Amino acid sequence: MKWLITVSMGFILMLFINDTHAQSIFPEWHNKKIKVKTNVPIKAYGFQLKEVKLLAGSPFYQARSRDSSYLQSISPDRLLYRFRKHAGLIPKDS
């Protein structure tokens, strides 16, 4: 169980680290490969995931809640089955 917590914390840390290296919201300003200026002004840009808020009654919020409940209902051994199998370890749960 301690191993699973360590792996989970490592995965969460990886998500936060990768968030700092996200794509620029103004790619035409920083990309030296773009040499031609756009004729039409860009009106839509990317945004950070932390800027997104799901409203409590929205279908996206409900879907996220259902997904979260389902993933929490699965045993960690079942989630790690294929990892252990491909790593040459004996799977604990099938």
Side-chain angles (χ1 to χ4, degrees):
M1 188 66 176
K2 195 175 199 180
W3 177 81
L4 179 63
I5 292 171
T6 304
V7 170
S8 299
M9 292 303 292
F11 179 72
I12 291 169
L13 182 61
M14 182 184 68
L15 288 176
F16 285 115
I17 290 172
N18 285 340
D19 186 43
T20 61
H21 301 303
Q23 177 181 348
S24 170
I25 60 170
F26 304 107
E28 72 279 4
W29 291 359
H30 303 293
N31 191 347
K32 295 185 182 359
K33 293 180 181 179
I34 299 176
K35 298 185 187 223
V36 179
K37 301 255 182 203
T38 57
N39 290 335
V40 178
I42 299 175
K43 294 182 180 180
Y45 290 99
F47 48 86
Q48 296 292 326
L49 189 57
K50 63 184 172 187
E51 296 177 36
V52 176
K53 302 274 187 216
L54 297 179
L55 300 176
S58 73
F60 300 107
Y61 182 87
Q62 294 169 355
R64 184 186 69 175
S65 298
R66 280 193 305 270
D67 289 345
S68 177
S69 298
Y70 171 71
L71 289 173
Q72 290 175 2
S73 72
I74 300 173
S75 72
D77 289 330
R78 185 171 171 204
L79 289 171
L80 292 170
Y81 176 82
R82 288 195 180 270
F83 170 78
R84 289 182 175 139
K85 186 174 179 182
H86 291 296
L89 303 171
I90 298 171
K92 293 184 180 180
D93 192 9
S94 56

